[in-house]
Amino acid sequence: MKRLQRVLSCLLLCALLAGTAGIPASALSDVPEDFWAKEDIDRCVTLRYFYPEADGSFGVGKEMSRAEFIAVLCRCLGWKPTSPARAVYKDVSEKEWYAGAVETAYHQGAITSQDGSFRPDDLITRSEAASMLVRALGYGSIAGLIQDMSLPFQDVKANSGYIAMAYGLGLIDGTSVTAFSPNGHVTREQAAAILMRLHDKLHGPTTSRMGIAVSAENLPDLTGYEAVCISAFKLAYNGEPQVTLTMGDAEAQSVRSAASAAGAKALLYISGGAYHVRGGEEEKLAAVLFQAVEEGGYDGLYLDAFGLTTVSQRDTLTAAAQILREKLGERLLYIGVEAPSWKGTIFGYDYAALGEIADRLVLHFNNKKESVAGQTVAPLEPLEQIYYALNRLRAVVDADKLTLLLTSTGFIWDGRESESLTGKQITDLAAERTTRTHYSDRYACAYLVQEEGPDVWYLNGQAIRERIQLARLFGGGRLCLSDLNNALPETLEAMP
């Protein structure tokens, strides 16, 4: 009897694919014009993530099985089902219509096999859907790290990290302000809404790029860059705020000309730390910065303030930024700030106020250095830190203004001191016979293992693309490279 049912199911699927796939989404018999999910359903059918039922309806209100959900998820992510399918789970026959999708999802990491069973016919719960979504995106490790993160839902007792991520990324809402209903089932229209949110985030507007130029030599092609930030001065202090020259006028002019020729804005990049941002000196600070922009003929300013920790420094930076905003007029103002971290509140930055004042709020991260199983790891801008910062700021700063500062050179840490490596040095090391190239899925970061000497950590093309995806999921996607002149070629090529 079961075999007959499976044959009938396969025949029905073929009928759906051949006979009803061409039904216009607007003609679905059970989807009225004012239905809350009509647009999502129409788009899902048009994109063939879903197929109509045999009777020309969508199947509104029908709860989905685990097999059905994994099939539509594979379609949304563009994963081609394995054919011919091979058995991965003991309860999934190779002859089932969904076997190829289940196998593909398993190898992509969207589902796991703890007891060898998949339970394809069980109705999928909201908790399971959240887990599959997060795993499919490659964020299982982050979900494990944030399982203790507070949630507004009082009914979540298990899978909290996955639910927190699916909710934080805006993929699945709660069923009320205080409830997620993790054991509730997912209907076809709810799945359509979820998939279209995912689709729109992954296929959103093209992300923009900018970068910091430290000299006029070895500049890459600047075509497509929103801004080139020229490191011509740095903050200093000698009784009052001032700037000191780090690049000659002729060299700075050469970079400005290259940026202008490529259609990019040329911004003056000036960095400074807590020593340079002192209470009560916001007017002097703003004045000296504006003078440097004005005299250099720049299109704006990128002020990178790092290491601020006190309320006094926070208020001074905010006040100086407001003064600069008024002085600069139509010219651009980018503000660099230390990103919120796992380790607690950073009091040196008023993210909300700066987000309102600045055209871009550039987040820089304190790259972690630690010992894991006796080995020193030093990943650059770890994905988990980026997730935490973007999640903390998603309701605070306009996502379109948030920009990630990414290290475009290599980094060595031997446990005592650090060293930066240029892209050419990384390329030369990777070509050596005694060097092995690796990629850490845990940190989404590449590294080289030398036969003699410490490991070299760097962001390769895959690492850049993973950070672009995460930024897009939060509705943003602006990136800034820390060093255009010495960047790894693969890193440059991966920029949007």
Side-chain angles (χ1 to χ4, degrees):
M1 184 65 181
K2 288 186 177 180
R3 180 178 178 81
L4 177 60
Q5 290 175 337
R6 288 174 179 170
V7 171
L8 291 174
S9 296
C10 289
L11 291 174
L12 176 60
L13 175 66
C14 291
L16 292 176
L17 296 176
T20 64
I23 294 178
S26 58
L28 295 168
S29 60
D30 60 342
V31 184
E33 287 296 323
D34 60 352
F35 188 56
W36 70 269
K38 176 176 171 50
E39 181 180 351
D40 293 323
I41 291 172
D42 287 352
R43 294 176 65 201
C44 269
V45 172
T46 299
L47 292 167
R48 297 197 175 187
Y49 297 164
F50 276 85
Y51 294 99
E53 301 279 77
D55 62 359
S57 68
F58 178 74
V60 170
K62 180 182 177 182
E63 295 175 334
M64 299 189 74
S65 69
R66 287 166 55 84
E68 290 169 335
F69 187 81
I70 210 66
V72 297
L73 180 59
C74 283
R75 293 171 196 158
C76 179
L77 293 174
W79 294 346
K80 186 176 181 180
T82 303
S83 181
R86 293 165 296 191
V88 175
Y89 297 95
K90 60 187 178 184
D91 58 352
V92 177
S93 168
E94 298 172 357
K95 299 179 181 179
E96 295 288 2
W97 67 268
Y98 50 77
V102 170
E103 181 184 349
T104 296
Y106 172 78
H107 289 299
Q108 291 283 356
I111 50 179
T112 59
S113 178
Q114 295 181 347
D115 63 359
S117 299
F118 178 65
R119 299 179 288 109
D121 298 324
D122 286 4
L123 297 178
I124 188 165
T125 66
R126 290 167 52 80
S127 176
E128 290 171 337
S131 295
M132 289 183 187
L133 285 166
V134 171
R135 287 184 180 277
L137 292 169
Y139 302 143
S141 295
I142 299 177
L145 290 171
I146 66 170
Q147 59 186 339
D148 295 327
M149 182 178 290
S150 62
L151 273 170
F153 311 122
Q154 300 175 2
D155 57 351
V156 174
K157 308 300 180 185
N159 274 359
S160 58
Y162 293 97
I163 292 172
M165 283 207 75
Y167 173 69
L169 293 174
L171 300 176
I172 303 182
D173 296 326
T175 53
S176 74
V177 176
T178 59
F180 184 79
S181 302
N183 296 321
H185 298 136
V186 179
T187 63
R188 283 170 63 85
E189 65 270 23
Q190 289 169 348
I194 291 169
L195 293 188
M196 290 320 304
R197 291 170 189 167
L198 177 60
H199 172 92
D200 289 344
K201 289 175 180 292
L202 294 179
H203 300 87
T206 302
T207 50
S208 66
R209 53 180 160 167
M210 50 186 275
I212 300 171
V214 298
S215 76
E217 295 183 3
N218 198 36
L219 275 175
D221 181 3
L222 299 177
T223 303
Y225 279 79
E226 171 187 277
V228 176
C229 309
I230 304 167
S231 182
F233 292 92
K234 66 179 180 179
L235 274 176
Y237 193 88
N238 185 17
E240 62 181 21
Q242 54 188 276
V243 294
T244 60
L245 198 66
T246 58
M247 184 187 298
D249 290 341
E251 187 173 18
Q253 178 58 49
S254 176
V255 181
R256 288 199 300 274
S257 298
S260 178
K265 296 292 186 181
L267 272 60
L268 175 59
Y269 172 82
I270 299 181
S271 65
Y275 180 76
H276 307 107
V277 181
R278 305 191 179 205
E281 296 192 344
E282 54 269 13
E283 292 188 4
K284 292 181 179 179
L285 177 61
V288 72
L289 292 170
F290 176 72
Q291 182 180 357
V293 172
E294 184 82 353
E295 292 180 352
Y298 291 93
D299 298 316
L301 172 70
Y302 173 4
L303 172 60
D304 193 0
F306 56 85
L308 277 58
T309 58
T310 69
V311 172
S312 175
Q313 292 165 347
R314 178 199 67 192
D315 293 344
T316 299
L317 176 63
T318 303
Q322 184 60 60
I323 296 170
L324 281 165
R325 173 74 285 163
E326 295 169 2
K327 286 178 173 290
L328 289 170
E330 296 298 319
R331 282 175 283 194
L332 297 173
L333 176 60
Y334 293 1
I335 301 291
V337 299
E338 186 175 336
S341 70
W342 294 88
K343 296 182 179 180
T345 303
I346 298 176
F347 296 101
Y349 305 94
D350 187 336
Y351 299 109
L354 292 174
E356 287 289 332
I357 295 168
D359 295 289
R360 301 282 180 265
L361 195 65
V362 187
L363 304 178
H364 52 79
F365 300 83
N366 289 322
N367 293 318
K368 63 187 301 182
K369 301 171 284 289
E370 61 182 2
S371 179
V372 177
Q375 179 183 4
T376 299
V377 297
L380 305 175
E381 291 83 49
L383 214 58
E384 64 207 43
Q385 290 192 24
I386 294 177
Y387 168 80
Y388 183 81
L390 294 179
N391 186 60
R392 277 275 302 273
L393 296 176
R394 63 189 172 94
V396 177
V397 179
D398 182 354
D400 191 51
K401 288 188 174 185
L402 287 175
T403 303
L404 305 179
L405 178 64
L406 301 181
T407 305
S408 53
T409 54
F411 185 80
I412 287 179
W413 174 260
D414 62 7
R416 297 180 301 276
E417 55 186 25
S418 61
E419 178 185 352
S420 180
L421 269 68
T422 66
K424 184 180 185 307
Q425 289 174 313
I426 295 171
T427 301
D428 292 344
L429 274 176
E432 291 185 3
R433 183 175 55 83
T434 57
T435 302
R436 301 190 306 278
T437 304
H438 298 274
Y439 189 84
S440 169
D441 292 323
R442 166 69 174 77
Y443 298 109
C445 191
Y447 62 101
L448 299 176
V449 176
Q450 304 180 77
E451 190 172 80
E452 296 183 4
D455 298 344
V456 179
W457 291 79
Y458 62 101
L459 300 180
N460 64 356
Q462 180 180 349
I464 293 293
R465 288 187 289 272
E466 290 204 47
R467 283 151 182 78
I468 291 173
Q469 174 182 284
L470 184 55
R472 277 182 169 170
L473 287 168
F474 276 103
R478 301 185 184 278
L479 306 179
C480 178
L481 292 182
S482 66
D483 186 338
L484 288 172
N485 306 83
N486 297 298
L488 185 72
E490 184 181 355
T491 300
L492 292 169
E493 291 170 6
M495 290 290 282

